[in-house]
Amino acid sequence: MTYDAIRELSLEQHPEGGWFRRTYTAADALATPGGERPAATLIHFWLPAGEHSRWHVVASDEIWMWHGPGSLRLELGGTSDQPRDTGDGGLLAAPGTVGATQQLIVPGGCWQRTVPGDDDVLVSCLVTPGFDFADWRLAD
């Protein structure tokens, strides 16, 4: 199933882990401390069962939207120079799943990582101002 989703959605490996493809870039731009960025960007992010993403931080706000079929735990690691386990975050999963939601917001500058459930999962991530790798970094 993983191979078919990667091929079907034309995904490529993400440096933090998982697979992604940008599906939208806003035509309008915004001034940011890092330079001009699109007003928003949107990606598909596929996380196969057993994989996870590494701790990373994005300068902009990020909205995670669940599509399924599996679940994904989004862990937040604070806003220090390096992530620390804060116990914050949430579960992205199907409606009716205890403790789950279908959308989560990660404030800009907050460390984050993802851990899948027992099945592969597809989410979308909307970043505003838009994502640029210059505004992103991995933990040491």
Side-chain angles (χ1 to χ4, degrees), residues 82-120:
Q82 290 293 316
R84 55 185 171 70
D85 188 1
T86 64
D88 293 332
L91 177 67
L92 288 167
T97 302
V98 175
T101 187
Q102 290 71 55
Q103 296 179 350
L104 285 170
I105 298 172
V106 178
C110 184
W111 289 98
Q112 58 181 296
R113 71 177 174 185
T114 57
V115 180
D118 294 334
D119 294 315
D120 302 341

PDB file of all heavy atoms in Angstrom, residues 82-120:
ATOM      1  N   GLN A  82      16.400  23.639  21.423  1.00  0.00           N
ATOM      2  CA  GLN A  82      16.247  22.229  21.085  1.00  0.00           C
ATOM      3  C   GLN A  82      14.910  21.737  21.645  1.00  0.00           C
ATOM      4  O   GLN A  82      14.422  22.269  22.645  1.00  0.00           O
ATOM      5  CB  GLN A  82      17.396  21.398  21.668  1.00  0.00           C
ATOM      6  CG  GLN A  82      18.733  21.657  21.000  1.00  0.00           C
ATOM      7  CD  GLN A  82      18.771  21.195  19.557  1.00  0.00           C
ATOM      8  OE1 GLN A  82      18.314  20.107  19.226  1.00  0.00           O
ATOM      9  NE2 GLN A  82      19.311  22.036  18.688  1.00  0.00           N
ATOM     10  N   PRO A  83      14.311  20.731  21.009  1.00  0.00           N
ATOM     11  CA  PRO A  83      13.020  20.235  21.498  1.00  0.00           C
ATOM     12  C   PRO A  83      13.148  19.529  22.838  1.00  0.00           C
ATOM     13  O   PRO A  83      14.194  18.982  23.170  1.00  0.00           O
ATOM     14  CB  PRO A  83      12.595  19.245  20.412  1.00  0.00           C
ATOM     15  CG  PRO A  83      13.865  18.816  19.772  1.00  0.00           C
ATOM     16  CD  PRO A  83      14.792  19.984  19.851  1.00  0.00           C
ATOM     17  N   ARG A  84      12.066  19.573  23.589  1.00  0.00           N
ATOM     18  CA  ARG A  84      11.975  18.818  24.835  1.00  0.00           C
ATOM     19  C   ARG A  84      10.563  18.243  24.880  1.00  0.00           C
ATOM     20  O   ARG A  84       9.618  18.849  24.378  1.00  0.00           O
ATOM     21  CB  ARG A  84      12.256  19.700  26.043  1.00  0.00           C
ATOM     22  CG  ARG A  84      11.381  20.933  26.118  1.00  0.00           C
ATOM     23  CD  ARG A  84      11.780  21.835  27.279  1.00  0.00           C
ATOM     24  NE  ARG A  84      11.084  23.094  27.219  1.00  0.00           N
ATOM     25  CZ  ARG A  84       9.791  23.290  27.426  1.00  0.00           C
ATOM     26  NH1 ARG A  84       9.006  22.276  27.716  1.00  0.00           N
ATOM     27  NH2 ARG A  84       9.257  24.495  27.343  1.00  0.00           N
ATOM     28  N   ASP A  85      10.421  17.077  25.447  1.00  0.00           N
ATOM     29  CA  ASP A  85       9.121  16.420  25.500  1.00  0.00           C
ATOM     30  C   ASP A  85       8.221  17.190  26.458  1.00  0.00           C
ATOM     31  O   ASP A  85       8.454  17.207  27.659  1.00  0.00           O
ATOM     32  CB  ASP A  85       9.286  14.976  25.950  1.00  0.00           C
ATOM     33  CG  ASP A  85       8.002  14.185  25.840  1.00  0.00           C
ATOM     34  OD1 ASP A  85       6.979  14.744  25.394  1.00  0.00           O
ATOM     35  OD2 ASP A  85       8.011  13.010  26.200  1.00  0.00           O
ATOM     36  N   THR A  86       7.211  17.854  25.916  1.00  0.00           N
ATOM     37  CA  THR A  86       6.303  18.656  26.729  1.00  0.00           C
ATOM     38  C   THR A  86       5.011  17.924  27.058  1.00  0.00           C
ATOM     39  O   THR A  86       4.237  18.383  27.887  1.00  0.00           O
ATOM     40  CB  THR A  86       5.931  19.962  25.992  1.00  0.00           C
ATOM     41  OG1 THR A  86       5.209  19.630  24.799  1.00  0.00           O
ATOM     42  CG2 THR A  86       7.166  20.778  25.652  1.00  0.00           C
ATOM     43  N   GLY A  87       4.767  16.812  26.375  1.00  0.00           N
ATOM     44  CA  GLY A  87       3.499  16.112  26.558  1.00  0.00           C
ATOM     45  C   GLY A  87       2.367  16.765  25.786  1.00  0.00           C
ATOM     46  O   GLY A  87       1.228  16.316  25.850  1.00  0.00           O
ATOM     47  N   ASP A  88       2.683  17.840  25.041  1.00  0.00           N
ATOM     48  CA  ASP A  88       1.668  18.534  24.247  1.00  0.00           C
ATOM     49  C   ASP A  88       1.567  17.901  22.870  1.00  0.00           C
ATOM     50  O   ASP A  88       2.440  17.167  22.430  1.00  0.00           O
ATOM     51  CB  ASP A  88       2.028  20.014  24.097  1.00  0.00           C
ATOM     52  CG  ASP A  88       1.961  20.765  25.413  1.00  0.00           C
ATOM     53  OD1 ASP A  88       1.169  20.354  26.284  1.00  0.00           O
ATOM     54  OD2 ASP A  88       2.692  21.754  25.564  1.00  0.00           O
ATOM     55  N   GLY A  89       0.506  18.241  22.181  1.00  0.00           N
ATOM     56  CA  GLY A  89       0.280  17.741  20.830  1.00  0.00           C
ATOM     57  C   GLY A  89      -1.115  17.180  20.733  1.00  0.00           C
ATOM     58  O   GLY A  89      -2.032  17.650  21.400  1.00  0.00           O
ATOM     59  N   GLY A  90      -1.268  16.172  19.925  1.00  0.00           N
ATOM     60  CA  GLY A  90      -2.589  15.585  19.777  1.00  0.00           C
ATOM     61  C   GLY A  90      -2.586  14.429  18.810  1.00  0.00           C
ATOM     62  O   GLY A  90      -1.579  14.120  18.171  1.00  0.00           O
ATOM     63  N   LEU A  91      -3.742  13.806  18.707  1.00  0.00           N
ATOM     64  CA  LEU A  91      -3.944  12.647  17.853  1.00  0.00           C
ATOM     65  C   LEU A  91      -4.808  13.052  16.672  1.00  0.00           C
ATOM     66  O   LEU A  91      -5.912  13.569  16.854  1.00  0.00           O
ATOM     67  CB  LEU A  91      -4.627  11.533  18.654  1.00  0.00           C
ATOM     68  CG  LEU A  91      -4.988  10.270  17.897  1.00  0.00           C
ATOM     69  CD1 LEU A  91      -3.716   9.536  17.448  1.00  0.00           C
ATOM     70  CD2 LEU A  91      -5.859   9.367  18.766  1.00  0.00           C
ATOM     71  N   LEU A  92      -4.308  12.824  15.468  1.00  0.00           N
ATOM     72  CA  LEU A  92      -5.096  13.007  14.248  1.00  0.00           C
ATOM     73  C   LEU A  92      -5.607  11.629  13.835  1.00  0.00           C
ATOM     74  O   LEU A  92      -4.804  10.721  13.595  1.00  0.00           O
ATOM     75  CB  LEU A  92      -4.244  13.601  13.124  1.00  0.00           C
ATOM     76  CG  LEU A  92      -3.856  15.057  13.282  1.00  0.00           C
ATOM     77  CD1 LEU A  92      -2.765  15.422  12.291  1.00  0.00           C
ATOM     78  CD2 LEU A  92      -5.065  15.953  13.075  1.00  0.00           C
ATOM     79  N   ALA A  93      -6.924  11.478  13.795  1.00  0.00           N
ATOM     80  CA  ALA A  93      -7.509  10.181  13.472  1.00  0.00           C
ATOM     81  C   ALA A  93      -8.967  10.379  13.053  1.00  0.00           C
ATOM     82  O   ALA A  93      -9.492  11.494  13.069  1.00  0.00           O
ATOM     83  CB  ALA A  93      -7.417   9.235  14.671  1.00  0.00           C
ATOM     84  N   ALA A  94      -9.610   9.275  12.720  1.00  0.00           N
ATOM     85  CA  ALA A  94     -10.986   9.285  12.218  1.00  0.00           C
ATOM     86  C   ALA A  94     -11.959   9.861  13.252  1.00  0.00           C
ATOM     87  O   ALA A  94     -11.763   9.681  14.464  1.00  0.00           O
ATOM     88  CB  ALA A  94     -11.417   7.869  11.853  1.00  0.00           C
ATOM     89  N   PRO A  95     -13.011  10.536  12.776  1.00  0.00           N
ATOM     90  CA  PRO A  95     -14.063  10.965  13.702  1.00  0.00           C
ATOM     91  C   PRO A  95     -14.562   9.758  14.489  1.00  0.00           C
ATOM     92  O   PRO A  95     -14.655   8.651  13.974  1.00  0.00           O
ATOM     93  CB  PRO A  95     -15.156  11.499  12.766  1.00  0.00           C
ATOM     94  CG  PRO A  95     -14.432  11.907  11.531  1.00  0.00           C
ATOM     95  CD  PRO A  95     -13.309  10.910  11.386  1.00  0.00           C
ATOM     96  N   GLY A  96     -14.822   9.982  15.763  1.00  0.00           N
ATOM     97  CA  GLY A  96     -15.278   8.911  16.639  1.00  0.00           C
ATOM     98  C   GLY A  96     -14.152   8.225  17.388  1.00  0.00           C
ATOM     99  O   GLY A  96     -14.403   7.459  18.312  1.00  0.00           O
ATOM    100  N   THR A  97     -12.894   8.484  16.991  1.00  0.00           N
ATOM    101  CA  THR A  97     -11.754   7.928  17.718  1.00  0.00           C
ATOM    102  C   THR A  97     -11.572   8.723  19.003  1.00  0.00           C
ATOM    103  O   THR A  97     -11.470   9.949  18.967  1.00  0.00           O
ATOM    104  CB  THR A  97     -10.470   8.006  16.870  1.00  0.00           C
ATOM    105  OG1 THR A  97     -10.680   7.306  15.635  1.00  0.00           O
ATOM    106  CG2 THR A  97      -9.288   7.411  17.612  1.00  0.00           C
ATOM    107  N   VAL A  98     -11.561   8.035  20.131  1.00  0.00           N
ATOM    108  CA  VAL A  98     -11.451   8.699  21.428  1.00  0.00           C
ATOM    109  C   VAL A  98     -10.187   9.561  21.477  1.00  0.00           C
ATOM    110  O   VAL A  98      -9.100   9.091  21.165  1.00  0.00           O
ATOM    111  CB  VAL A  98     -11.445   7.669  22.576  1.00  0.00           C
ATOM    112  CG1 VAL A  98     -11.218   8.350  23.914  1.00  0.00           C
ATOM    113  CG2 VAL A  98     -12.750   6.878  22.589  1.00  0.00           C
ATOM    114  N   GLY A  99     -10.356  10.822  21.844  1.00  0.00           N
ATOM    115  CA  GLY A  99      -9.240  11.745  21.996  1.00  0.00           C
ATOM    116  C   GLY A  99      -8.688  12.323  20.713  1.00  0.00           C
ATOM    117  O   GLY A  99      -7.689  13.035  20.742  1.00  0.00           O
ATOM    118  N   ALA A 100      -9.327  12.024  19.590  1.00  0.00           N
ATOM    119  CA  ALA A 100      -8.792  12.461  18.294  1.00  0.00           C
ATOM    120  C   ALA A 100      -9.499  13.689  17.759  1.00  0.00           C
ATOM    121  O   ALA A 100     -10.625  14.003  18.135  1.00  0.00           O
ATOM    122  CB  ALA A 100      -8.902  11.332  17.277  1.00  0.00           C
ATOM    123  N   THR A 101      -8.801  14.363  16.881  1.00  0.00           N
ATOM    124  CA  THR A 101      -9.345  15.472  16.111  1.00  0.00           C
ATOM    125  C   THR A 101      -8.905  15.273  14.668  1.00  0.00           C
ATOM    126  O   THR A 101      -8.063  14.413  14.383  1.00  0.00           O
ATOM    127  CB  THR A 101      -8.865  16.830  16.675  1.00  0.00           C
ATOM    128  OG1 THR A 101      -9.535  17.881  16.007  1.00  0.00           O
ATOM    129  CG2 THR A 101      -7.355  16.995  16.521  1.00  0.00           C
ATOM    130  N   GLN A 102      -9.457  16.043  13.760  1.00  0.00           N
ATOM    131  CA  GLN A 102      -9.078  15.916  12.355  1.00  0.00           C
ATOM    132  C   GLN A 102      -8.208  17.089  11.898  1.00  0.00           C
ATOM    133  O   GLN A 102      -7.720  17.100  10.773  1.00  0.00           O
ATOM    134  CB  GLN A 102     -10.316  15.793  11.461  1.00  0.00           C
ATOM    135  CG  GLN A 102     -11.041  14.463  11.637  1.00  0.00           C
ATOM    136  CD  GLN A 102     -11.760  14.388  12.983  1.00  0.00           C
ATOM    137  OE1 GLN A 102     -12.564  15.240  13.325  1.00  0.00           O
ATOM    138  NE2 GLN A 102     -11.440  13.362  13.759  1.00  0.00           N
ATOM    139  N   GLN A 103      -8.014  18.078  12.767  1.00  0.00           N
ATOM    140  CA  GLN A 103      -7.139  19.211  12.475  1.00  0.00           C
ATOM    141  C   GLN A 103      -6.385  19.600  13.739  1.00  0.00           C
ATOM    142  O   GLN A 103      -6.963  19.601  14.821  1.00  0.00           O
ATOM    143  CB  GLN A 103      -7.921  20.432  11.991  1.00  0.00           C
ATOM    144  CG  GLN A 103      -8.638  20.239  10.686  1.00  0.00           C
ATOM    145  CD  GLN A 103      -9.412  21.482  10.273  1.00  0.00           C
ATOM    146  OE1 GLN A 103      -9.574  22.430  11.037  1.00  0.00           O
ATOM    147  NE2 GLN A 103      -9.903  21.473   9.052  1.00  0.00           N
ATOM    148  N   LEU A 104      -5.115  19.942  13.585  1.00  0.00           N
ATOM    149  CA  LEU A 104      -4.304  20.437  14.693  1.00  0.00           C
ATOM    150  C   LEU A 104      -3.475  21.615  14.204  1.00  0.00           C
ATOM    151  O   LEU A 104      -3.022  21.613  13.062  1.00  0.00           O
ATOM    152  CB  LEU A 104      -3.353  19.362  15.217  1.00  0.00           C
ATOM    153  CG  LEU A 104      -3.955  18.258  16.059  1.00  0.00           C
ATOM    154  CD1 LEU A 104      -2.934  17.145  16.289  1.00  0.00           C
ATOM    155  CD2 LEU A 104      -4.427  18.806  17.395  1.00  0.00           C
ATOM    156  N   ILE A 105      -3.264  22.586  15.064  1.00  0.00           N
ATOM    157  CA  ILE A 105      -2.453  23.748  14.713  1.00  0.00           C
ATOM    158  C   ILE A 105      -1.157  23.715  15.512  1.00  0.00           C
ATOM    159  O   ILE A 105      -1.170  23.542  16.734  1.00  0.00           O
ATOM    160  CB  ILE A 105      -3.220  25.057  14.995  1.00  0.00           C
ATOM    161  CG1 ILE A 105      -4.480  25.107  14.133  1.00  0.00           C
ATOM    162  CG2 ILE A 105      -2.323  26.270  14.732  1.00  0.00           C
ATOM    163  CD1 ILE A 105      -5.415  26.251  14.467  1.00  0.00           C
ATOM    164  N   VAL A 106      -0.044  23.885  14.810  1.00  0.00           N
ATOM    165  CA  VAL A 106       1.269  24.012  15.433  1.00  0.00           C
ATOM    166  C   VAL A 106       1.701  25.459  15.230  1.00  0.00           C
ATOM    167  O   VAL A 106       1.885  25.897  14.100  1.00  0.00           O
ATOM    168  CB  VAL A 106       2.303  23.054  14.811  1.00  0.00           C
ATOM    169  CG1 VAL A 106       3.672  23.257  15.456  1.00  0.00           C
ATOM    170  CG2 VAL A 106       1.846  21.612  14.933  1.00  0.00           C
ATOM    171  N   PRO A 107       1.861  26.215  16.319  1.00  0.00           N
ATOM    172  CA  PRO A 107       2.292  27.610  16.178  1.00  0.00           C
ATOM    173  C   PRO A 107       3.707  27.689  15.593  1.00  0.00           C
ATOM    174  O   PRO A 107       4.548  26.827  15.869  1.00  0.00           O
ATOM    175  CB  PRO A 107       2.281  28.148  17.612  1.00  0.00           C
ATOM    176  CG  PRO A 107       1.509  27.158  18.418  1.00  0.00           C
ATOM    177  CD  PRO A 107       1.628  25.844  17.708  1.00  0.00           C
ATOM    178  N   GLY A 108       3.950  28.717  14.793  1.00  0.00           N
ATOM    179  CA  GLY A 108       5.279  28.934  14.258  1.00  0.00           C
ATOM    180  C   GLY A 108       6.313  28.964  15.364  1.00  0.00           C
ATOM    181  O   GLY A 108       6.066  29.491  16.445  1.00  0.00           O
ATOM    182  N   GLY A 109       7.476  28.359  15.116  1.00  0.00           N
ATOM    183  CA  GLY A 109       8.558  28.351  16.092  1.00  0.00           C
ATOM    184  C   GLY A 109       8.489  27.240  17.110  1.00  0.00           C
ATOM    185  O   GLY A 109       9.348  27.139  17.981  1.00  0.00           O
ATOM    186  N   CYS A 110       7.476  26.377  17.023  1.00  0.00           N
ATOM    187  CA  CYS A 110       7.308  25.271  17.972  1.00  0.00           C
ATOM    188  C   CYS A 110       7.860  23.977  17.359  1.00  0.00           C
ATOM    189  O   CYS A 110       7.527  23.640  16.227  1.00  0.00           O
ATOM    190  CB  CYS A 110       5.821  25.094  18.301  1.00  0.00           C
ATOM    191  SG  CYS A 110       5.494  23.843  19.551  1.00  0.00           S
ATOM    192  N   TRP A 111       8.708  23.285  18.120  1.00  0.00           N
ATOM    193  CA  TRP A 111       9.221  21.991  17.670  1.00  0.00           C
ATOM    194  C   TRP A 111       8.082  20.997  17.521  1.00  0.00           C
ATOM    195  O   TRP A 111       7.116  21.023  18.294  1.00  0.00           O
ATOM    196  CB  TRP A 111      10.238  21.446  18.668  1.00  0.00           C
ATOM    197  CG  TRP A 111      11.529  22.194  18.664  1.00  0.00           C
ATOM    198  CD1 TRP A 111      11.906  23.177  19.534  1.00  0.00           C
ATOM    199  CD2 TRP A 111      12.605  22.041  17.748  1.00  0.00           C
ATOM    200  NE1 TRP A 111      13.156  23.640  19.212  1.00  0.00           N
ATOM    201  CE2 TRP A 111      13.616  22.948  18.119  1.00  0.00           C
ATOM    202  CE3 TRP A 111      12.822  21.211  16.644  1.00  0.00           C
ATOM    203  CZ2 TRP A 111      14.820  23.064  17.429  1.00  0.00           C
ATOM    204  CZ3 TRP A 111      14.029  21.313  15.961  1.00  0.00           C
ATOM    205  CH2 TRP A 111      15.002  22.227  16.346  1.00  0.00           C
ATOM    206  N   GLN A 112       8.211  20.094  16.549  1.00  0.00           N
ATOM    207  CA  GLN A 112       7.178  19.090  16.312  1.00  0.00           C
ATOM    208  C   GLN A 112       7.807  17.836  15.718  1.00  0.00           C
ATOM    209  O   GLN A 112       8.864  17.887  15.109  1.00  0.00           O
ATOM    210  CB  GLN A 112       6.112  19.634  15.360  1.00  0.00           C
ATOM    211  CG  GLN A 112       6.666  20.076  14.016  1.00  0.00           C
ATOM    212  CD  GLN A 112       5.608  20.631  13.110  1.00  0.00           C
ATOM    213  OE1 GLN A 112       4.696  19.923  12.704  1.00  0.00           O
ATOM    214  NE2 GLN A 112       5.729  21.916  12.783  1.00  0.00           N
ATOM    215  N   ARG A 113       7.122  16.724  15.939  1.00  0.00           N
ATOM    216  CA  ARG A 113       7.462  15.463  15.273  1.00  0.00           C
ATOM    217  C   ARG A 113       6.199  14.627  15.205  1.00  0.00           C
ATOM    218  O   ARG A 113       5.238  14.859  15.947  1.00  0.00           O
ATOM    219  CB  ARG A 113       8.584  14.721  15.986  1.00  0.00           C
ATOM    220  CG  ARG A 113       8.210  14.118  17.321  1.00  0.00           C
ATOM    221  CD  ARG A 113       9.363  13.357  17.908  1.00  0.00           C
ATOM    222  NE  ARG A 113       9.039  12.903  19.266  1.00  0.00           N
ATOM    223  CZ  ARG A 113       9.904  12.296  20.046  1.00  0.00           C
ATOM    224  NH1 ARG A 113      11.127  12.048  19.619  1.00  0.00           N
ATOM    225  NH2 ARG A 113       9.545  11.917  21.261  1.00  0.00           N
ATOM    226  N   THR A 114       6.212  13.638  14.319  1.00  0.00           N
ATOM    227  CA  THR A 114       5.035  12.798  14.139  1.00  0.00           C
ATOM    228  C   THR A 114       5.385  11.341  14.374  1.00  0.00           C
ATOM    229  O   THR A 114       6.486  10.895  14.072  1.00  0.00           O
ATOM    230  CB  THR A 114       4.467  12.936  12.710  1.00  0.00           C
ATOM    231  OG1 THR A 114       5.488  12.605  11.769  1.00  0.00           O
ATOM    232  CG2 THR A 114       3.966  14.344  12.454  1.00  0.00           C
ATOM    233  N   VAL A 115       4.411  10.632  14.913  1.00  0.00           N
ATOM    234  CA  VAL A 115       4.520   9.199  15.146  1.00  0.00           C
ATOM    235  C   VAL A 115       3.225   8.575  14.636  1.00  0.00           C
ATOM    236  O   VAL A 115       2.141   8.945  15.091  1.00  0.00           O
ATOM    237  CB  VAL A 115       4.704   8.891  16.651  1.00  0.00           C
ATOM    238  CG1 VAL A 115       4.807   7.390  16.876  1.00  0.00           C
ATOM    239  CG2 VAL A 115       5.925   9.613  17.198  1.00  0.00           C
ATOM    240  N   PRO A 116       3.314   7.651  13.676  1.00  0.00           N
ATOM    241  CA  PRO A 116       2.091   7.049  13.148  1.00  0.00           C
ATOM    242  C   PRO A 116       1.532   5.991  14.082  1.00  0.00           C
ATOM    243  O   PRO A 116       2.235   5.499  14.963  1.00  0.00           O
ATOM    244  CB  PRO A 116       2.549   6.412  11.837  1.00  0.00           C
ATOM    245  CG  PRO A 116       3.967   6.005  12.128  1.00  0.00           C
ATOM    246  CD  PRO A 116       4.501   7.101  13.036  1.00  0.00           C
ATOM    247  N   GLY A 117       0.279   5.654  13.830  1.00  0.00           N
ATOM    248  CA  GLY A 117      -0.327   4.521  14.523  1.00  0.00           C
ATOM    249  C   GLY A 117       0.088   3.233  13.836  1.00  0.00           C
ATOM    250  O   GLY A 117       1.191   3.134  13.280  1.00  0.00           O
ATOM    251  N   ASP A 118      -0.795   2.259  13.821  1.00  0.00           N
ATOM    252  CA  ASP A 118      -0.481   0.948  13.249  1.00  0.00           C
ATOM    253  C   ASP A 118      -0.646   0.879  11.738  1.00  0.00           C
ATOM    254  O   ASP A 118      -0.265  -0.106  11.127  1.00  0.00           O
ATOM    255  CB  ASP A 118      -1.370  -0.120  13.890  1.00  0.00           C
ATOM    256  CG  ASP A 118      -1.063  -0.302  15.367  1.00  0.00           C
ATOM    257  OD1 ASP A 118       0.083  -0.014  15.772  1.00  0.00           O
ATOM    258  OD2 ASP A 118      -1.974  -0.722  16.102  1.00  0.00           O
ATOM    259  N   ASP A 119      -1.243   1.908  11.129  1.00  0.00           N
ATOM    260  CA  ASP A 119      -1.483   1.920   9.690  1.00  0.00           C
ATOM    261  C   ASP A 119      -0.841   3.151   9.061  1.00  0.00           C
ATOM    262  O   ASP A 119      -0.581   4.149   9.727  1.00  0.00           O
ATOM    263  CB  ASP A 119      -2.994   1.951   9.396  1.00  0.00           C
ATOM    264  CG  ASP A 119      -3.700   0.690   9.846  1.00  0.00           C
ATOM    265  OD1 ASP A 119      -3.170  -0.410   9.591  1.00  0.00           O
ATOM    266  OD2 ASP A 119      -4.781   0.806  10.451  1.00  0.00           O
ATOM    267  N   ASP A 120      -0.629   3.093   7.749  1.00  0.00           N
ATOM    268  CA  ASP A 120      -0.161   4.252   6.998  1.00  0.00           C
ATOM    269  C   ASP A 120      -1.168   5.380   7.147  1.00  0.00           C
ATOM    270  O   ASP A 120      -2.369   5.135   7.330  1.00  0.00           O
ATOM    271  CB  ASP A 120      -0.039   3.911   5.514  1.00  0.00           C
ATOM    272  CG  ASP A 120       0.899   2.748   5.235  1.00  0.00           C
ATOM    273  OD1 ASP A 120       1.729   2.420   6.096  1.00  0.00           O
ATOM    274  OD2 ASP A 120       0.794   2.172   4.142  1.00  0.00           O
TER     275      ASP A 120
END
